[in-house]
Amino acid sequence: KQEVTQIPAALSVPEGENLVLNCSFTDSAIYNLQWFRQDPGKGLTSLLLIQSSQREQTSGRLNASLDKSSGRSTLYIAASQPGDSATYLCAVRPDTDKLIFGTGTRLQVFP
Amino acid sequence: EAQVTQNPRYLITVTGKKLTVTCSQNMNHEYMSWYRQDPGLGLRQIYYSMNVEVTDKGDVPEGYKVSRKEKRNFPLILESPSPNQTSLYFCASWAWENPGELFFGEGSRLTVL
């Protein structure tokens, strides 16, 4: 059974720091992996999608990598800002109908 | 504006009183899905639908029902709610040709006393 784990569960950093969020999964048979952002009282917003054949994706200050063989993905946030404060979730897609989510990393960036 | 709309956003009810959480999308998406989010457990899929009149169980379907009579709507029905169904519920939709672009509703916080 696919399990997705995110470490750390919570992170508090000063503004301007570069940081890395980790996601690991137990079964490497996935179609893709996706990173989401969740703000309090809001739904999820997709940040980056990495297909199983890809190694990384970039969007602005965000860079996500995927190492399928080791069952790991990282989300790198450059020059963090207070507006980046949110919960970050990774999810793997074992087939077209399902997404399996990790429990998230709650990030706080303070000025 | 492309959106997924859930109602109600907040609900407090009592054990055994049937309730329905509605979900509507305006993007003509084939796929729709319900998730529940609980502390320490993340989001877990309850039911999903691939198109009108086609639904299937997710990982935690017990105690829930769904229907897909129209493409835009995917209501979640709790026939006899119990306290362990207290949770934050999300509806999502996506097009079959673009499974990476999911649209989520803003969530429905349900409390069952």
Side-chain angles (χ1 to χ4, degrees):
Chain A
K1 181 186 173 184
Q2 178 74 270
E3 292 182 359
V4 181
T5 304
Q6 291 186 246
I7 294 174
L11 186 61
S12 184
V13 299
E15 183 176 8
E17 278 208 0
N18 302 322
L19 51 99
V20 175
L21 308 182
N22 296 293
C23 172
S24 61
F25 48 97
T26 55
D27 188 344
S28 61
I30 61 171
Y31 279 90
N32 56 46
L33 182 144
Q34 201 160 359
W35 283 91
F36 294 87
R37 169 183 173 138
Q38 183 178 19
D39 294 285
K42 300 285 187 182
L44 280 69
T45 302
S46 179
L47 296 173
L48 290 164
L49 171 70
I50 312 177
Q51 300 294 348
S52 61
S53 58
Q54 297 176 321
R55 298 284 290 188
E56 66 178 331
Q57 281 287 330
T58 298
S59 176
R61 294 182 294 108
L62 305 179
N63 175 278
S65 67
L66 174 63
D67 184 342
K68 250 183 46 167
S69 60
S70 67
R72 292 182 184 179
S73 176
T74 60
L75 178 67
Y76 176 82
I77 303 176
S80 57
Q81 303 170 357
D84 294 329
S85 298
T87 296
Y88 291 81
L89 297 159
C90 76
V92 299
R93 190 183 291 274
D95 57 51
T96 55
D97 302 331
K98 283 184 175 291
L99 267 182
I100 299 175
F101 286 85
T103 52
T105 293
R106 189 170 65 251
L107 171 66
Q108 183 181 8
V109 181
F110 54 91
Chain B
E1 179 189 356
Q3 59 184 9
V4 177
T5 304
Q6 296 179 226
N7 280 295
R9 295 287 315 280
Y10 302 91
L11 179 63
I12 301 174
T13 190
V14 296
T15 299
K17 186 175 181 181
K18 180 180 178 180
L19 67 92
T20 299
V21 186
T22 63
C23 175
S24 181
Q25 50 97 0
N26 62 359
M27 296 161 281
N28 202 37
H29 286 163
E30 294 81 13
Y31 283 89
M32 298 185 75
S33 182
W34 277 102
Y35 298 87
R36 60 178 289 175
Q37 185 176 33
D38 302 288
L41 296 176
L43 277 86
R44 294 176 293 168
Q45 191 177 46
I46 304 171
Y47 270 95
Y48 62 97
S49 170
M50 293 77 84
N51 215 321
V52 176
E53 301 291 3
V54 184
T55 63
D56 206 351
K57 296 177 181 179
D59 296 318
V60 288
E62 296 78 19
Y64 304 95
K65 286 176 59 176
V66 293
S67 69
R68 187 93 181 271
K69 293 184 169 54
E70 304 167 282
K71 200 171 185 180
R72 63 183 293 122
N73 296 322
F74 190 44
L76 179 70
I77 303 158
L78 286 73
E79 293 270 2
S80 183
S82 62
N84 64 13
Q85 292 178 299
T86 293
S87 188
L88 179 58
Y89 292 86
F90 287 101
C91 179
S93 74
W94 63 97
W96 74 268
E97 72 269 17
N98 193 6
E101 191 171 20
L102 271 73
F103 290 79
F104 279 84
E106 294 195 323
S108 296
R109 184 166 294 282
L110 171 64
T111 301
V112 183
L113 301 175

